[in-house]
Amino acid sequence: GQNIDQPTEMTATEGAIVQINCTYQTSGFNGLFWYQQHAGEAPTFLSYNVLDGLEEKGRFSSFLSRSKGYSYLLLKELQMKDSASYLCAAMDSNYQLIWGAGTKLIIKP
Amino acid sequence: GAVVSQHPSWVICKSGTSVKIECRSLDFQATTMFWYRQFPKQSLMLMATSNEGSKATYEQGVEKDKFLINHASLTLSTLTVTSAHPEDSSFYICSARDPMKDRVETQYFGPGTRLLVL
């Protein structure tokens, strides 16, 4: 079956770095997405990886290892506004997104 | 670019009534739109894929006669919840792909519609 695993909740300190891991199993693979979702709001696109390696975009970076079925989202210089849920989603061979349950990130001062 | 709007953002209705939710791509033409439902503290659940000019493709377990989807133009898809019941209360979110973007696979989400059925 198809499955996405990510931690339910993580806590970090303002100004620090946090890494949110995601493992996936899909029928075929057409890329891995990370979305940010603040409480009561719709998701917003953060990153897309389809090739192995690290992609950096400002304070956020996303990594993919296709052979390991593994990705992580790295958030640097954490700010209070980064408190949100982070959704990992893998795209299967039919271009359907398989969504993880999301990781709730709590930032403490 | 790639802005998606939804209307209304909030709706409260009586049990048994029908509710229509609109999803619009404001600055691009979307041949494909997606409708999701999200219950509190749960992940997104894909309900259906809406293709312009053709019938929607529903996910297993989603009643197509209850959740009517119409994608009559390249910028508008509508979801009608017919004979709504309290268990239909949820956060409904649409998304769309912009075929002109470099990464056409990316879905851009509308702000969502919160439905409360009394």
Side-chain angles (χ1 to χ4, degrees):
Chain A
Q2 306 199 99
N3 191 51
I4 304 284
D5 281 319
Q6 55 181 129
T8 304
E9 187 173 297
M10 298 182 72
T11 303
T13 305
E14 190 177 15
I17 299 173
V18 71
Q19 177 175 310
I20 303 174
N21 296 324
C22 170
T23 58
Y24 64 89
Q25 289 178 303
T26 55
S27 302
F29 181 73
N30 279 301
L32 193 292
F33 293 83
W34 284 96
Y35 282 83
Q36 180 191 59
Q37 185 177 26
H38 284 101
E41 299 180 12
T44 56
F45 170 75
L46 288 179
S47 67
Y48 171 70
N49 294 66
V50 68
L51 301 176
D52 285 351
L54 184 70
E55 291 214 7
E56 298 185 66
K57 195 186 293 185
R59 293 190 298 115
F60 292 8
S61 302
S62 56
F63 172 83
L64 176 68
S65 168
R66 293 178 66 137
S67 62
K68 294 181 180 178
Y70 167 69
S71 172
Y72 68 72
L73 180 69
L74 190 71
L75 293 76
K76 302 177 184 177
E77 301 170 18
L78 286 170
Q79 302 175 9
M80 297 304 292
K81 67 178 182 180
D82 298 329
S83 293
S85 286
Y86 291 85
L87 307 177
C88 171
M91 183 166 277
D92 68 12
S93 57
N94 294 319
Y95 293 93
Q96 291 272 55
L97 279 179
I98 312 301
W99 292 88
T103 298
K104 183 179 179 181
L105 177 63
I106 300 168
I107 310 295
K108 295 185 175 178
Chain B
V3 178
V4 178
S5 72
Q6 268 183 257
H7 177 81
S9 55
W10 261 102
V11 59
I12 301 173
C13 69
K14 292 182 179 179
S15 185
T17 60
S18 294
V19 175
K20 180 186 281 189
I21 303 170
E22 293 186 349
C23 177
R24 293 182 186 272
S25 55
L26 298 185
D27 55 357
F28 66 100
Q29 294 184 326
T31 54
T32 304
M33 289 183 171
F34 303 87
W35 286 98
Y36 291 87
R37 181 166 52 180
Q38 187 176 35
F39 293 104
K41 299 184 179 180
Q42 295 187 23
S43 190
L44 299 171
M45 291 172 48
L46 179 65
M47 299 176 68
T49 302
S50 169
N51 296 298
E52 187 268 336
S54 65
K55 291 183 179 180
T57 303
Y58 289 81
E59 294 299 301
Q60 194 171 11
V62 178
E63 299 174 57
K64 60 182 179 182
D65 294 331
K66 180 170 181 65
F67 299 99
L68 301 178
I69 291 173
N70 185 293
H71 194 157
S73 78
L74 287 170
T75 59
L76 173 64
S77 176
T78 60
L79 168 68
T80 302
V81 183
T82 61
S83 187
H85 291 285
E87 58 265 30
D88 298 323
S89 299
S90 187
F91 190 39
Y92 291 86
I93 314 172
C94 73
S95 69
R97 289 185 185 145
D98 182 351
M100 301 304 292
K101 290 282 188 181
D102 290 340
R103 287 173 176 168
V104 298
E105 299 86 358
T106 302
Q107 292 183 25
Y108 297 92
F109 286 86
T113 297
R114 200 162 297 280
L115 170 64
L116 178 61
V117 184
L118 302 176

